[in-house]
Amino acid sequence: MAEGTPPPRPPPAAKAAAPTPTRRLTVTDIRRLYTTRTPIVMLTAADYPSAVHGDLAGVDITLIGDSLGMVVLGRPTTQTVTVGEMLHHCRAVAAGSARPLLVGDLPFGSYEGGADAALATATRFIKEGSVGAVKLEGGRRSAAAVSALVRAGIAVMGHVGLTPQSVSAVGGFRPAGRDAAGAAAVLDDALAVADAGAFAIVLECVPPAVAAAVVDAVDVPPMGGQVLVYHDVLGMLTHPHHAAVAPRFCKRYADVGDVVHRALVAYGADVRAGAFPSPAYAPYKIGAGALSEFRAYAAKVAAARRGGGGDRPAARIECVVVDGNGAGAAAHLPRGRCAVRVARRGRMLPRPPSAAGARVRAARGEGQGRPPPPPSRGGMGRTSEPEELWRTRCTAVTWVRPRCPRPRGGVLGGVRHARDGVRP
Ligand SMILES: Nc1nc(=O)c2c([nH]1)NC[C@@H]1CN(c3ccc(C(=O)N[C@@H](CCC(=O)O)C(=O)O)cc3)CN21
Ligand SMILES: CC(C)C(=O)C(=O)O
């Protein structure tokens, strides 16, 4: 999708589930969902594709959480995430989602200094991050900042219970409210933030009974238990770092990391086996007339570069390759590189359009009984057609069977190494 193109609209199924599908949700819509006892779906996003997916799935609130510092930027905690980094991700998410309310997470150190600091940061999130609201951590300690933002017209989501930005003081991502005093602190924190005007409050990692009491006490939507990190929900990250940070409260709905891993391993295996790239994925055509004109030009360029003196050493011809039309060309490879796989279907070119024809004929087996000559400095320029040449890396001189058998497994010519001492 081109930059600036609006994201695709939700498909009919998602539309049906969405209360107001045609415009961005506001805190008023969230409030209405809460008062009508409609569950609110909240998920993080960190970039354009995750934002599009959340939008298409009908998410109500997309949080650009500072957890992106861990799941996207690979940090051990969220504490090093900067305002600039958050805004960068907020903009990408804003570009990819049309309907959800966007909430930007104020990062550690950007609001604790007081109302002025909080206001300066939150204003940047609205102006530069294109979010509709901000979230900040902390209960009573952050209440003054929350009310300053709300007075200034900025919607604020609170966050109490486990507050990951406090990891160094707390000594880990520890659940909150697990004793009477801790539970009381969670309740007091939630009330302070609600009284300060927060439109919703994240209640993270607290025992369900404590969460229930908090929900009873405050009159704003509690976002506990239903705000999950995109990468956790999808099981995107299966490496040890992520295994260590994926919280136990997260339900995993897919194993995308395994899917990604299998796909990338298969891709690498294909490349190493010479199975990709392949003609099926090189659909680009050049007309026969244009091609021969171009080849003449390329030969001229190559000759000029060889003759010019002081030029770079020319590529050497390693072998003859064949394309699907029966046309072929000498393959030109940098010195020290070699080897060619022959394309599917086709015949050997009767006479490659090569200035170093002798070398090529030897490579085609016309030298009779002699191994191919050593690498020469001849050459006529790299062929431009992917279907003609599949290179692999090796260090030996390589040539191709003079006569190609019927296509087998998509590969025609055999490839042999002179070092093996085996005639093809
Ligand atoms: N991938 C990811 N998902 C998150 O939900 C998330 C992050 N990262 N990073 C920022 C914060 C940190 N969060 C976390 C991370 C770990 C636990 C966790 O493992 N808690 C353990 C207790 C660990 C302890 O006692 O030290 C638990 O049992 O819930 C909880 C919340 C939530 N946020
Ligand atoms: C886990 C949620 C609540 C969050 O704060 C984040 O994604 O940073």
Side-chain angles (χ1 to χ4, degrees):
M1 193 182 303
E3 207 179 322
T5 308
R9 296 305 313 149
K15 245 182 184 167
T20 49
T22 53
R23 61 165 176 82
R24 179 78 71 193
L25 298 192
T26 66
V27 292
T28 312
D29 297 307
I30 300 304
R31 177 87 206 156
R32 182 158 12 89
L33 291 173
Y34 175 62
T35 56
T36 58
R37 299 176 174 276
T38 311
I40 299 164
V41 181
M42 178 166 168
L43 180 70
T44 72
D47 52 18
Y48 178 83
S50 53
V52 169
H53 277 303
D55 194 341
L56 291 179
V59 160
D60 300 310
I61 302 178
T62 293
L63 172 68
I64 303 92
D66 64 355
S67 58
L68 67 83
M70 294 168 69
V71 297
V72 174
L73 303 177
R75 316 261 174 87
T77 72
T78 61
Q79 288 192 306
T80 59
V81 176
T82 67
V83 170
E85 288 168 340
M86 287 303 299
L87 295 177
H88 175 82
H89 289 276
C90 286
R91 283 193 293 270
V93 170
S97 72
R99 180 183 167 274
L101 172 66
L102 301 183
V103 179
D105 217 0
L106 303 191
F108 178 63
S110 71
Y111 60 92
E112 297 88 334
D116 289 349
L119 192 53
T121 305
T123 303
R124 289 193 66 192
F125 269 67
I126 304 291
K127 286 181 183 290
E128 300 172 46
S130 297
V131 296
V134 300
K135 174 166 85 61
L136 50 77
E137 293 184 8
R140 288 156 290 178
R141 68 176 168 96
S142 297
V146 172
S147 58
L149 297 187
V150 173
R151 273 199 309 275
I154 298 173
V156 181
M157 178 179 281
H159 183 163
V160 305
L162 187 161
T163 49
Q165 292 175 10
S166 314
V167 61
S168 67
V170 177
F173 295 126
R174 304 232 177 281
R178 289 191 297 179
D179 55 26
V186 171
L187 175 62
D188 290 344
D189 281 338
L191 285 169
V193 171
D195 290 347
F199 74 92
I201 303 177
V202 170
L203 267 180
E204 183 168 351
C205 260
V206 298
V210 176
V214 172
V215 170
D216 277 351
V218 304
D219 185 36
V220 298
M223 307 307 307
Q226 68 224 35
V227 43
L228 293 182
V229 171
Y230 181 82
H231 302 73
D232 295 342
V233 170
L234 294 181
M236 283 184 84
L237 304 159
T238 51
H239 58 74
H241 163 72
H242 186 259
V245 301
R248 282 192 298 161
F249 60 72
C250 181
K251 180 172 176 184
R252 182 197 281 205
Y253 287 84
D255 291 303
V256 172
D258 290 343
V259 173
V260 169
H261 180 73
R262 279 198 300 274
L264 298 189
V265 167
Y267 167 61
D270 265 10
V271 169
R272 293 192 177 108
F276 183 90
S278 64
Y281 295 93
Y284 317 107
K285 303 271 187 276
I286 182 170
L291 182 57
S292 67
E293 194 179 319
F294 165 71
R295 279 182 176 146
Y297 170 77
K300 226 166 64 190
V301 169
R305 291 173 68 86
R306 269 199 310 278
D311 282 348
R312 284 184 282 137
R316 73 187 188 203
I317 296 175
E318 294 289 1
C319 65
V320 175
V321 293
V322 185
D323 71 14
N325 303 320
H332 293 259
L333 300 163
R335 288 180 62 76
R337 305 275 167 79
C338 74
V340 165
R341 293 287 170 82
V342 176
R344 57 161 193 186
R345 207 175 328 116
R347 300 180 305 273
M348 298 299 292
L349 186 74
R351 182 174 291 275
S354 166
R359 164 86 180 98
V360 172
R361 280 191 294 279
R364 292 169 59 202
E366 293 171 15
Q368 298 322 321
R370 291 188 302 279
S376 81
R377 292 199 165 207
M380 47 167 226
R382 188 186 294 270
T383 177
S384 66
E385 285 133 305
E387 72 267 30
E388 289 186 354
L389 167 61
W390 313 115
R391 258 180 306 153
T392 59
R393 278 161 182 256
C394 73
T395 53
V397 175
T398 302
W399 70 92
V400 176
R401 282 181 192 281
R403 211 175 302 123
C404 295
R406 297 221 60 84
R408 285 185 69 186
V411 174
L412 272 178
V415 176
R416 293 290 185 278
H417 290 198
R419 211 169 33 206
D420 297 339
V422 181
R423 292 295 296 159

